[in-house]
Amino acid sequence: MAPVVRITNLDKYFGRLHVLKNISLDVQPREVVCLIGRSGSGKSTLLRCVNFLEEPSDGSIEVDGIQVHSHGRGKEHRDLVHEVRLRTGMVFQEFNLFPHMTVLENVIEGPVTVKGMDRTEAIALAEENLDNVGMLFKKDEYPARLSGGQKQRVAIARALTMQPRVMLFDEPTSALDPELIGEVLNVMKKVAKDGMTMLVVTHEMGFAREVADRVLVMADGEIIEDAKPNNLFNKPKDPRTKALIDRYRTGGG
Amino acid sequence: MKVDSTIAAASKPANSQAELLFEAQQKKQRQFRTGVTATWGGLLLILIYLFSGQNFLGIQTIKLDYEFMQKNVVFIAGGLVETIKISILSISLAITLALLAALGRLSTFPPIYALSTFYVSLIRGTPLYLQIFFFFLALPQLGIVLSGLISGVLALGLNYGAYMSETFRAGLASVGKGQREAAIAIGMTPIQTMRRIVLPQALRFAIPPMGNDFISMTKDSALVAATGFVHEVMWRATRVGRAQFNNLEALIMAAMFYWVMTLILTYVQSRIETRLSKGDR
């Protein structure tokens, strides 16, 4: 089966800082891949390169058969990047809901403005996804009136309503109060169960262990370990992985 | 999700603590507003009384020449058309220039950034009065002859455009990077991102100060009277006032016209603010 995401020989520099070092990675359909690692290890940058929120310095990204090279320029390149973005849904740490739009308007914005979908059709699709994340009852509220967990669930519905091939989660629970993390993780589990391909940057070891098909450990811009969660958490090969896991264990995570 | 519905159900009973607090706050606000309105009414009555010509407790109030006022009120009011025309044309020009200058200030391309800051610096560094005369009196020397109205509109538009660009720039800067990223991530083009996500939020931030600028400009349109060729409110008031040495009456009438215009604009401004503030709470 062809992978949904294929990252090939990816490098990223910020000036002279080498943050991603020759990364290659395939994500298969319906696979849930969790990226863990200390802050500054490059995991968020890698995720943001997939939909070109960060422009890679070298290498290529392929999403659902659309391949984009890092050195592309001009309209052709922009069109390819656009195609990639249409096939990826992104969930941010800070939710980034549009504060001047209601929950429903937030969710239909993409389909209507970007895809030119008929409004009634978009609303039906949006309501279905809002219902899925348990937020349909707040569809006419503005984001300012929602809790952090509720905002993040709406953000997930907004990304899903674009009907992406892969969902990218960038530390989706890191900005949440501890008691609100569970509701977001539950929604993510549901999305995974429904067969969505997912690439998740997270500090939630419990989630990685329970939901992920594969866990990747990043350190210093490299993937130092790539294993099934059971193997990784029970028999970490790299001492850095062991240190990372121990830190969360002793920290009560 | 279950937790939410229980909270929603618990807050259903009419007299929850939050609702009682809200009610008390509302009552306090209503009382405050009533007090303010009553005091305004009192101050207005005192002002009218001051110009009533009555003798009260040995204080002789100011007596105005009502006959003159009656005869000339229509003439001065006739200037409103020109005043409004200048204001609307100037504000349109100002908003266009301000938006361009503000976008220029956000540009990472040095020449565009420099052009924008150069314009703002040059215009803000010179008096508006001078600018009006520059267009009206100095340009003819170069063979460019502009009417009083066009000179006024150009000067006011350029001038307020420079000031308002700062307002716009602050508005655009107030929209977080995350908003642009979220828009880009769902596939929006830069133009869609600007139009649908950034500008609505920036405008909401910029509307109150923009309203102030517009109100201020409406009054500064009086400076165009100095060209002597635009028969707006100020020009008409000084003309009849000087001719018959009734400057007091003429200027009071003009002042009232400007004040009423300002009140109307303030009202419109507050309505727009209410409409734009949706989503704040």
Side-chain angles (χ1 to χ4, degrees):
Chain A
M1 216 174 343
V4 175
V5 177
R6 167 163 279 176
I7 297 169
T8 314
N9 299 333
L10 196 77
D11 274 288
K12 174 69 186 174
Y13 292 87
F14 288 118
R16 283 165 56 202
L17 191 66
H18 199 177
V19 286
L20 294 177
K21 298 171 185 163
N22 196 30
I23 303 244
S24 294
L25 167 69
D26 281 1
V27 182
Q28 302 300 330
R30 307 174 74 91
E31 202 176 22
V32 177
V33 176
C34 280
L35 278 164
I36 63 174
R38 302 177 61 165
S39 54
S41 59
K43 53 194 192 315
S44 278
T45 307
L46 176 60
L47 191 79
R48 290 162 58 86
C49 279
V50 175
N51 67 351
F52 286 80
L53 280 185
E54 298 290 353
E55 196 79 32
S57 308
D58 205 357
S60 75
I61 302 278
E62 186 179 326
V63 175
D64 195 24
I66 311 284
Q67 194 180 26
V68 191
H69 293 277
S70 61
H71 294 298
R73 290 286 175 273
K75 190 181 177 331
E76 202 181 335
H77 177 70
R78 282 199 302 273
D79 287 347
L80 285 174
V81 168
H82 182 70
E83 288 301 316
V84 164
R85 284 177 180 155
L86 288 180
R87 286 163 170 76
T88 52
M90 179 114 180
V91 176
F92 299 86
Q93 183 177 337
E94 300 291 343
F95 332 124
N96 297 341
L97 292 182
F98 306 131
H100 58 302
M101 299 181 181
T102 64
V103 163
L104 186 68
E105 286 165 353
N106 261 280
V107 179
I108 64 169
E109 182 62 24
V112 172
T113 302
V114 178
K115 285 185 169 177
M117 190 186 278
D118 173 63
R119 213 181 146 82
T120 355
E121 196 185 330
I123 289 174
L125 190 62
E127 287 184 342
E128 191 187 317
N129 281 316
L130 280 171
D131 197 24
N132 258 328
V133 301
M135 286 302 298
L136 189 56
F137 75 115
K138 292 275 191 190
K139 72 181 166 94
D140 296 320
E141 289 284 6
Y142 284 94
R145 304 201 46 152
L146 306 182
S147 73
Q150 291 176 331
K151 283 183 196 171
Q152 197 58 301
R153 280 147 61 194
V154 172
I156 293 172
R158 177 173 70 181
L160 286 174
T161 307
M162 287 301 284
Q163 301 175 299
R165 288 301 315 278
V166 54
M167 287 279 284
L168 310 173
F169 293 85
D170 190 5
E171 301 198 28
T173 58
S174 296
L176 294 176
D177 290 335
E179 73 269 22
L180 300 176
I181 291 176
E183 60 184 84
V184 172
L185 293 181
N186 281 339
V187 165
M188 289 168 64
K189 280 179 204 167
K190 205 163 152 189
V191 174
K193 217 182 206 167
D194 290 344
M196 178 57 71
T197 308
M198 290 166 52
L199 197 51
V200 185
V201 170
T202 187
H203 293 291
E204 294 294 326
M205 297 299 162
F207 177 83
R209 188 167 208 154
E210 190 186 338
V211 185
D213 296 300
R214 268 161 71 204
V215 179
L216 309 187
V217 184
M218 286 195 69
D220 303 321
E222 288 173 310
I223 296 174
I224 57 168
E225 208 152 336
D226 177 350
K228 293 212 177 300
N230 260 335
N231 296 341
L232 188 110
F233 286 107
N234 295 330
K235 294 175 276 184
K237 282 181 200 142
D238 194 295
R240 286 172 290 181
T241 309
K242 192 172 177 327
L244 187 73
I245 295 167
D246 285 347
R247 212 157 55 94
Y248 280 99
R249 241 178 227 143
T250 51
Chain B
M1 290 148 237
K2 273 184 192 124
V3 177
D4 291 325
S5 43
T6 19
I7 291 171
S11 65
K12 267 275 157 60
N15 294 326
S16 71
Q17 195 188 15
E19 273 168 342
L20 288 173
L21 280 173
F22 184 67
E23 207 180 276
Q25 205 181 21
Q26 289 266 300
K27 197 178 161 201
K28 222 170 160 182
Q29 270 179 15
R30 260 201 314 276
Q31 284 171 342
F32 181 77
R33 273 199 299 268
T34 315
V36 170
T37 313
T39 313
W40 261 69
L43 289 171
L44 205 59
L45 283 177
I46 292 172
L47 190 64
I48 292 169
Y49 186 74
L50 268 180
F51 290 97
S52 66
Q54 304 292 316
N55 192 326
F56 180 69
L57 296 176
I59 303 164
Q60 178 61 52
T61 55
I62 300 155
K63 194 162 168 46
L64 297 177
D65 183 345
Y66 294 114
E67 199 189 322
F68 167 85
M69 287 174 85
Q70 260 175 19
K71 241 172 49 199
N72 290 294
V73 67
V74 175
F75 178 72
I76 295 177
L80 284 171
V81 181
E82 289 292 292
T83 295
I84 293 169
K85 192 156 82 178
I86 296 167
S87 301
I88 291 177
L89 289 174
S90 310
I91 201 74
S92 311
L93 179 61
I95 288 175
T96 314
L97 289 171
L99 192 58
L100 289 175
L103 290 171
R105 276 293 290 275
L106 295 177
S107 171
T108 48
F109 184 55
I112 297 285
Y113 180 91
L115 188 68
S116 160
T117 46
F118 189 83
Y119 155 63
V120 173
S121 174
L122 178 67
I123 297 295
R124 290 212 307 188
T126 48
L128 172 58
Y129 200 56
L130 185 151
Q131 288 161 11
I132 294 172
F133 276 120
F134 186 84
F135 282 109
F136 188 65
L137 296 178
L139 287 188
Q141 233 172 296
L142 308 173
I144 304 165
V145 181
L146 300 172
S147 74
L149 181 82
I150 300 287
S151 303
V153 166
L154 279 178
L156 281 166
L158 273 170
N159 192 277
Y160 274 84
Y163 279 96
M164 283 168 75
S165 75
E166 289 296 306
T167 310
F168 277 22
R169 188 187 59 78
L172 289 171
S174 77
V175 182
K177 189 170 154 237
Q179 289 291 310
R180 289 165 222 261
E181 288 193 344
I184 292 168
I186 57 173
M188 285 196 183
T189 62
I191 290 170
Q192 286 170 336
T193 304
M194 189 47 80
R195 196 168 53 85
R196 301 281 310 167
I197 307 302
V198 179
L199 271 187
Q201 293 184 58
L203 275 184
R204 198 172 92 190
F205 183 96
I207 284 276
M210 261 174 73
N212 290 341
D213 283 341
F214 187 33
I215 289 167
S216 169
M217 171 193 279
T218 309
K219 289 167 293 147
D220 276 352
S221 71
L223 291 174
V224 181
T227 62
F229 283 92
V230 184
H231 302 171
E232 45 71 75
V233 174
M234 186 65 191
W235 182 87
R236 287 174 188 237
T238 44
R239 183 182 145 103
V240 293
R242 275 184 191 147
Q244 299 164 48
F245 203 66
N246 277 115
N247 284 311
L248 179 65
E249 287 83 0
L251 289 178
I252 285 176
M253 282 194 283
M256 288 303 124
F257 283 128
Y258 281 113
W259 194 16
V260 169
M261 274 195 292
T262 307
L263 286 174
I264 295 170
L265 287 172
T266 311
Y267 175 73
V268 172
Q269 183 192 9
S270 73
R271 288 297 297 271
I272 294 173
E273 268 177 55
T274 320
R275 249 194 63 195
L276 284 171
S277 71
K278 64 180 183 179
D280 271 350
R281 288 175 171 268

Short mmCIF file of all heavy atoms in Angstrom, two decimals, chain A residues 48 82 85 92 96-101 109-110 113-114 137 142 144-145 150 153 158 162 187, chain B residues 1 4 177-179 181-188 192 196-197 200-201 204 278-281:
data_model
loop_
_atom_site.label_atom_id
_atom_site.label_comp_id
_atom_site.label_asym_id
_atom_site.label_seq_id
_atom_site.Cartn_x
_atom_site.Cartn_y
_atom_site.Cartn_z
N ARG A 48 5.45 20.55 11.16
CA ARG A 48 5.09 21.76 10.42
C ARG A 48 5.66 21.78 9.01
O ARG A 48 5.19 22.54 8.16
CB ARG A 48 5.54 23.00 11.20
CG ARG A 48 4.71 23.23 12.48
CD ARG A 48 5.42 24.17 13.44
NE ARG A 48 5.70 25.46 12.83
CZ ARG A 48 4.83 26.46 12.82
NH1 ARG A 48 3.67 26.34 13.38
NH2 ARG A 48 5.14 27.58 12.23
N HIS A 82 -0.44 23.95 -2.03
CA HIS A 82 -1.88 24.10 -1.76
C HIS A 82 -2.57 22.74 -1.75
O HIS A 82 -3.39 22.45 -0.87
CB HIS A 82 -2.50 25.02 -2.80
CG HIS A 82 -3.96 25.29 -2.58
ND1 HIS A 82 -4.42 26.05 -1.54
CD2 HIS A 82 -5.06 24.86 -3.26
CE1 HIS A 82 -5.74 26.10 -1.58
NE2 HIS A 82 -6.16 25.38 -2.61
N ARG A 85 -1.83 21.00 1.40
CA ARG A 85 -2.55 21.56 2.55
C ARG A 85 -4.02 21.13 2.56
O ARG A 85 -4.63 20.97 3.61
CB ARG A 85 -2.46 23.08 2.54
CG ARG A 85 -1.09 23.55 3.00
CD ARG A 85 -0.94 25.04 2.93
NE ARG A 85 0.38 25.45 3.38
CZ ARG A 85 0.98 26.56 3.02
NH1 ARG A 85 0.37 27.40 2.19
NH2 ARG A 85 2.18 26.85 3.46
N PHE A 92 -3.54 22.81 16.36
CA PHE A 92 -2.44 23.53 17.00
C PHE A 92 -2.52 23.45 18.53
O PHE A 92 -3.60 23.29 19.09
CB PHE A 92 -2.49 25.02 16.61
CG PHE A 92 -2.33 25.26 15.15
CD1 PHE A 92 -3.43 25.23 14.30
CD2 PHE A 92 -1.09 25.55 14.61
CE1 PHE A 92 -3.29 25.48 12.94
CE2 PHE A 92 -0.93 25.79 13.25
CZ PHE A 92 -2.04 25.76 12.42
N ASN A 96 -6.12 28.18 18.01
CA ASN A 96 -6.22 29.11 16.88
C ASN A 96 -7.58 29.10 16.20
O ASN A 96 -7.68 29.18 14.98
CB ASN A 96 -5.14 28.84 15.83
CG ASN A 96 -3.75 29.06 16.38
OD1 ASN A 96 -3.60 29.74 17.40
ND2 ASN A 96 -2.76 28.51 15.74
N LEU A 97 -8.65 29.03 17.00
CA LEU A 97 -9.97 29.23 16.41
C LEU A 97 -10.08 30.69 16.01
O LEU A 97 -9.42 31.55 16.59
CB LEU A 97 -11.07 28.89 17.42
CG LEU A 97 -11.18 27.41 17.81
CD1 LEU A 97 -12.33 27.21 18.79
CD2 LEU A 97 -11.37 26.54 16.58
N PHE A 98 -10.96 30.98 15.01
CA PHE A 98 -11.13 32.37 14.58
C PHE A 98 -12.12 33.04 15.53
O PHE A 98 -13.30 32.69 15.55
CB PHE A 98 -11.63 32.42 13.14
CG PHE A 98 -10.75 31.64 12.18
CD1 PHE A 98 -11.29 30.72 11.29
CD2 PHE A 98 -9.37 31.82 12.20
CE1 PHE A 98 -10.48 30.00 10.43
CE2 PHE A 98 -8.55 31.10 11.34
CZ PHE A 98 -9.10 30.19 10.46
N PRO A 99 -11.67 34.03 16.33
CA PRO A 99 -12.51 34.55 17.41
C PRO A 99 -13.73 35.34 16.92
O PRO A 99 -14.68 35.50 17.66
CB PRO A 99 -11.56 35.47 18.19
CG PRO A 99 -10.49 35.83 17.22
CD PRO A 99 -10.34 34.66 16.30
N HIS A 100 -13.69 35.81 15.67
CA HIS A 100 -14.80 36.63 15.17
C HIS A 100 -15.88 35.78 14.50
O HIS A 100 -16.81 36.31 13.92
CB HIS A 100 -14.28 37.70 14.22
CG HIS A 100 -13.53 37.14 13.03
ND1 HIS A 100 -12.41 36.34 13.17
CD2 HIS A 100 -13.73 37.26 11.71
CE1 HIS A 100 -11.96 36.02 11.98
NE2 HIS A 100 -12.75 36.55 11.07
N MET A 101 -15.72 34.46 14.56
CA MET A 101 -16.71 33.58 13.94
C MET A 101 -17.27 32.62 15.01
O MET A 101 -16.55 32.24 15.93
CB MET A 101 -16.05 32.73 12.85
CG MET A 101 -15.47 33.55 11.72
SD MET A 101 -14.75 32.42 10.50
CE MET A 101 -14.11 33.61 9.32
N GLU A 109 -15.77 27.46 7.45
CA GLU A 109 -14.95 28.44 6.74
C GLU A 109 -14.08 27.80 5.65
O GLU A 109 -14.06 28.25 4.51
CB GLU A 109 -14.07 29.21 7.74
CG GLU A 109 -13.19 30.30 7.12
CD GLU A 109 -13.99 31.40 6.45
OE1 GLU A 109 -15.15 31.60 6.81
OE2 GLU A 109 -13.44 32.06 5.55
N GLY A 110 -13.38 26.73 6.01
CA GLY A 110 -12.51 26.06 5.05
C GLY A 110 -13.26 25.52 3.85
O GLY A 110 -12.98 25.89 2.71
N THR A 113 -14.94 28.67 1.85
CA THR A 113 -14.03 29.65 1.24
C THR A 113 -12.96 28.99 0.38
O THR A 113 -12.65 29.47 -0.72
CB THR A 113 -13.35 30.49 2.34
OG1 THR A 113 -14.35 31.13 3.11
CG2 THR A 113 -12.44 31.55 1.74
N VAL A 114 -12.41 27.89 0.87
CA VAL A 114 -11.28 27.30 0.15
C VAL A 114 -11.75 26.32 -0.93
O VAL A 114 -11.30 26.36 -2.06
CB VAL A 114 -10.33 26.59 1.14
CG1 VAL A 114 -9.20 25.92 0.39
CG2 VAL A 114 -9.79 27.59 2.14
N PHE A 137 -23.72 21.13 20.51
CA PHE A 137 -24.58 21.96 21.36
C PHE A 137 -24.05 23.39 21.53
O PHE A 137 -24.75 24.24 22.03
CB PHE A 137 -24.80 21.29 22.73
CG PHE A 137 -23.62 21.36 23.66
CD1 PHE A 137 -23.70 22.06 24.85
CD2 PHE A 137 -22.43 20.71 23.36
CE1 PHE A 137 -22.61 22.13 25.72
CE2 PHE A 137 -21.33 20.78 24.21
CZ PHE A 137 -21.43 21.49 25.39
N TYR A 142 -19.53 31.86 20.36
CA TYR A 142 -18.23 32.32 19.90
C TYR A 142 -17.15 31.64 20.74
O TYR A 142 -17.39 31.28 21.89
CB TYR A 142 -18.14 33.84 20.02
CG TYR A 142 -18.92 34.53 18.94
CD1 TYR A 142 -20.22 34.94 19.14
CD2 TYR A 142 -18.33 34.73 17.69
CE1 TYR A 142 -20.95 35.55 18.13
CE2 TYR A 142 -19.05 35.34 16.68
CZ TYR A 142 -20.35 35.75 16.90
OH TYR A 142 -21.06 36.34 15.89
N ALA A 144 -14.72 32.57 22.47
CA ALA A 144 -14.38 33.16 23.77
C ALA A 144 -15.20 32.54 24.90
O ALA A 144 -14.82 32.62 26.06
CB ALA A 144 -14.57 34.67 23.73
N ARG A 145 -16.34 31.95 24.55
CA ARG A 145 -17.20 31.39 25.60
C ARG A 145 -16.96 29.90 25.83
O ARG A 145 -17.72 29.26 26.55
CB ARG A 145 -18.66 31.63 25.26
CG ARG A 145 -18.94 33.10 25.05
CD ARG A 145 -20.36 33.44 25.20
NE ARG A 145 -21.00 32.87 26.36
CZ ARG A 145 -22.03 33.43 26.97
NH1 ARG A 145 -22.47 34.58 26.54
NH2 ARG A 145 -22.61 32.84 27.98
N GLN A 150 -12.92 22.47 25.04
CA GLN A 150 -13.98 22.62 24.04
C GLN A 150 -13.42 23.27 22.78
O GLN A 150 -13.74 22.86 21.66
CB GLN A 150 -15.12 23.46 24.61
CG GLN A 150 -15.88 22.74 25.72
CD GLN A 150 -16.95 23.63 26.34
OE1 GLN A 150 -16.83 24.84 26.38
NE2 GLN A 150 -18.01 23.00 26.83
N ARG A 153 -11.56 20.73 20.79
CA ARG A 153 -12.45 19.79 20.11
C ARG A 153 -13.05 20.43 18.86
O ARG A 153 -13.20 19.79 17.81
CB ARG A 153 -13.54 19.32 21.07
CG ARG A 153 -13.05 18.21 22.01
CD ARG A 153 -13.67 18.26 23.37
NE ARG A 153 -15.13 18.09 23.32
CZ ARG A 153 -15.95 18.35 24.32
NH1 ARG A 153 -15.46 18.80 25.48
NH2 ARG A 153 -17.23 18.19 24.20
N ARG A 158 -12.96 21.32 12.95
CA ARG A 158 -12.65 22.22 11.83
C ARG A 158 -11.69 21.54 10.86
O ARG A 158 -11.88 21.60 9.64
CB ARG A 158 -12.03 23.52 12.36
CG ARG A 158 -11.62 24.47 11.26
CD ARG A 158 -11.16 25.81 11.79
NE ARG A 158 -9.89 25.73 12.49
CZ ARG A 158 -9.30 26.78 13.06
NH1 ARG A 158 -9.87 27.96 13.02
NH2 ARG A 158 -8.15 26.64 13.68
N MET A 162 -12.47 19.51 6.58
CA MET A 162 -11.79 19.66 5.29
C MET A 162 -11.56 18.29 4.64
O MET A 162 -10.99 18.20 3.55
CB MET A 162 -10.43 20.37 5.47
CG MET A 162 -10.54 21.85 5.76
SD MET A 162 -11.41 22.78 4.47
CE MET A 162 -10.12 22.87 3.20
N VAL A 187 -11.42 12.35 22.17
CA VAL A 187 -11.84 12.68 20.81
C VAL A 187 -10.79 12.19 19.81
O VAL A 187 -11.12 11.62 18.76
CB VAL A 187 -12.08 14.20 20.66
CG1 VAL A 187 -12.15 14.60 19.20
CG2 VAL A 187 -13.36 14.61 21.38
N MET B 1 -17.45 15.33 27.63
CA MET B 1 -18.65 15.85 26.98
C MET B 1 -19.85 15.77 27.90
O MET B 1 -20.68 16.64 27.94
CB MET B 1 -18.97 15.06 25.72
CG MET B 1 -17.96 15.31 24.62
SD MET B 1 -17.75 13.85 23.61
CE MET B 1 -16.01 13.56 23.78
N ASP B 4 -19.88 18.62 30.44
CA ASP B 4 -20.44 19.89 29.95
C ASP B 4 -21.95 19.96 30.07
O ASP B 4 -22.52 20.95 30.49
CB ASP B 4 -20.05 20.09 28.49
CG ASP B 4 -18.57 20.35 28.39
OD1 ASP B 4 -18.02 20.99 29.32
OD2 ASP B 4 -17.98 19.88 27.44
N LYS B 177 0.00 35.46 15.10
CA LYS B 177 0.57 34.64 14.04
C LYS B 177 -0.23 33.34 13.89
O LYS B 177 -0.39 32.81 12.79
CB LYS B 177 2.03 34.33 14.42
CG LYS B 177 2.85 33.67 13.37
CD LYS B 177 4.33 33.64 13.81
CE LYS B 177 5.06 32.49 13.16
NZ LYS B 177 5.69 31.57 14.12
N GLY B 178 -0.73 32.82 15.01
CA GLY B 178 -1.50 31.58 15.00
C GLY B 178 -2.73 31.67 14.12
O GLY B 178 -3.14 30.68 13.51
N GLN B 179 -3.33 32.86 14.04
CA GLN B 179 -4.51 33.05 13.20
C GLN B 179 -4.16 32.85 11.72
O GLN B 179 -4.89 32.21 10.97
CB GLN B 179 -5.09 34.46 13.41
CG GLN B 179 -5.74 34.63 14.76
CD GLN B 179 -7.01 33.82 14.88
OE1 GLN B 179 -7.88 33.88 14.01
NE2 GLN B 179 -7.12 33.04 15.93
N GLU B 181 -1.57 31.18 10.59
CA GLU B 181 -1.17 29.79 10.39
C GLU B 181 -2.39 28.88 10.27
O GLU B 181 -2.43 27.98 9.43
CB GLU B 181 -0.27 29.32 11.53
CG GLU B 181 1.11 29.94 11.47
CD GLU B 181 2.10 29.26 12.40
OE1 GLU B 181 1.66 28.52 13.30
OE2 GLU B 181 3.31 29.48 12.22
N ALA B 182 -3.41 29.14 11.12
CA ALA B 182 -4.61 28.31 11.05
C ALA B 182 -5.29 28.48 9.70
O ALA B 182 -5.78 27.52 9.11
CB ALA B 182 -5.57 28.69 12.17
N ALA B 183 -5.30 29.71 9.19
CA ALA B 183 -5.93 29.97 7.89
C ALA B 183 -5.14 29.29 6.78
O ALA B 183 -5.72 28.66 5.88
CB ALA B 183 -6.01 31.48 7.65
N ILE B 184 -3.82 29.41 6.83
CA ILE B 184 -2.97 28.79 5.81
C ILE B 184 -3.14 27.28 5.85
O ILE B 184 -3.22 26.61 4.82
CB ILE B 184 -1.49 29.17 6.05
CG1 ILE B 184 -1.28 30.66 5.77
CG2 ILE B 184 -0.56 28.35 5.17
CD1 ILE B 184 0.06 31.19 6.25
N ALA B 185 -3.23 26.73 7.07
CA ALA B 185 -3.30 25.28 7.22
C ALA B 185 -4.58 24.70 6.61
O ALA B 185 -4.58 23.57 6.13
CB ALA B 185 -3.21 24.88 8.68
N ILE B 186 -5.69 25.49 6.60
CA ILE B 186 -6.88 24.95 5.94
C ILE B 186 -6.88 25.30 4.45
O ILE B 186 -7.86 25.07 3.76
CB ILE B 186 -8.21 25.40 6.60
CG1 ILE B 186 -8.34 26.91 6.66
CG2 ILE B 186 -8.40 24.77 7.96
CD1 ILE B 186 -9.72 27.35 7.15
N GLY B 187 -5.77 25.82 3.95
CA GLY B 187 -5.59 25.99 2.51
C GLY B 187 -5.94 27.36 1.98
O GLY B 187 -6.07 27.55 0.77
N MET B 188 -6.11 28.35 2.86
CA MET B 188 -6.45 29.69 2.37
C MET B 188 -5.25 30.33 1.68
O MET B 188 -4.11 30.15 2.10
CB MET B 188 -6.87 30.58 3.53
CG MET B 188 -8.26 30.28 4.04
SD MET B 188 -8.83 31.66 5.05
CE MET B 188 -10.40 31.01 5.55
N GLN B 192 -7.16 35.43 0.74
CA GLN B 192 -8.29 34.95 1.55
C GLN B 192 -7.99 35.11 3.03
O GLN B 192 -8.86 35.51 3.81
CB GLN B 192 -8.56 33.47 1.25
CG GLN B 192 -9.23 33.23 -0.10
CD GLN B 192 -9.26 31.76 -0.48
OE1 GLN B 192 -8.45 30.97 -0.01
NE2 GLN B 192 -10.19 31.39 -1.33
N ARG B 196 -10.57 37.33 5.02
CA ARG B 196 -11.53 36.62 5.87
C ARG B 196 -11.11 36.55 7.33
O ARG B 196 -11.96 36.47 8.22
CB ARG B 196 -11.71 35.17 5.35
CG ARG B 196 -12.21 35.06 3.93
CD ARG B 196 -13.69 35.27 3.83
NE ARG B 196 -14.43 34.47 4.79
CZ ARG B 196 -15.71 34.67 5.07
NH1 ARG B 196 -16.37 35.63 4.49
NH2 ARG B 196 -16.32 33.91 5.96
N ILE B 197 -9.80 36.52 7.59
CA ILE B 197 -9.34 36.26 8.96
C ILE B 197 -8.66 37.49 9.58
O ILE B 197 -9.03 37.92 10.66
CB ILE B 197 -8.36 35.06 8.97
CG1 ILE B 197 -8.99 33.84 8.29
CG2 ILE B 197 -7.92 34.73 10.40
CD1 ILE B 197 -10.31 33.36 8.90
N PRO B 200 -10.87 41.41 9.28
CA PRO B 200 -12.01 41.59 10.19
C PRO B 200 -11.56 41.80 11.64
O PRO B 200 -12.14 42.62 12.35
CB PRO B 200 -12.81 40.29 10.05
CG PRO B 200 -12.42 39.74 8.73
CD PRO B 200 -11.00 40.16 8.51
N GLN B 201 -10.55 41.05 12.05
CA GLN B 201 -10.07 41.19 13.43
C GLN B 201 -9.31 42.50 13.62
O GLN B 201 -9.43 43.15 14.66
CB GLN B 201 -9.18 40.01 13.80
CG GLN B 201 -9.93 38.70 13.85
CD GLN B 201 -9.04 37.55 14.30
OE1 GLN B 201 -8.47 37.58 15.36
NE2 GLN B 201 -8.91 36.53 13.46
N ARG B 204 -11.76 45.47 13.78
CA ARG B 204 -12.45 45.56 15.05
C ARG B 204 -11.58 46.33 16.05
O ARG B 204 -12.07 47.13 16.83
CB ARG B 204 -12.72 44.16 15.57
CG ARG B 204 -13.79 44.15 16.62
CD ARG B 204 -14.15 42.75 16.96
NE ARG B 204 -13.34 42.28 18.06
CZ ARG B 204 -13.30 41.01 18.45
NH1 ARG B 204 -13.98 40.11 17.78
NH2 ARG B 204 -12.57 40.65 19.46
N LYS B 278 -18.89 41.42 18.45
CA LYS B 278 -19.43 40.07 18.63
C LYS B 278 -18.27 39.08 18.75
O LYS B 278 -17.27 39.17 18.07
CB LYS B 278 -20.36 39.69 17.48
CG LYS B 278 -19.66 39.61 16.15
CD LYS B 278 -20.63 39.23 15.05
CE LYS B 278 -19.88 39.09 13.73
NZ LYS B 278 -20.70 38.70 12.64
N GLY B 279 -18.44 38.16 19.68
CA GLY B 279 -17.38 37.19 19.88
C GLY B 279 -16.44 37.57 21.00
O GLY B 279 -15.57 36.80 21.36
N ASP B 280 -16.61 38.80 21.57
CA ASP B 280 -15.73 39.19 22.66
C ASP B 280 -16.01 38.41 23.94
O ASP B 280 -15.12 38.17 24.73
CB ASP B 280 -15.90 40.69 22.95
CG ASP B 280 -14.93 41.50 22.10
OD1 ASP B 280 -14.06 40.87 21.49
OD2 ASP B 280 -15.05 42.73 22.06
N ARG B 281 -17.28 38.11 24.15
CA ARG B 281 -17.64 37.39 25.39
C ARG B 281 -18.50 36.18 25.06
O ARG B 281 -19.30 36.23 24.20
CB ARG B 281 -18.49 38.29 26.30
CG ARG B 281 -17.67 39.30 26.86
CD ARG B 281 -18.34 40.34 27.68
NE ARG B 281 -17.26 41.09 28.27
CZ ARG B 281 -16.74 40.81 29.44
NH1 ARG B 281 -17.23 39.85 30.16
NH2 ARG B 281 -15.76 41.50 29.92
#
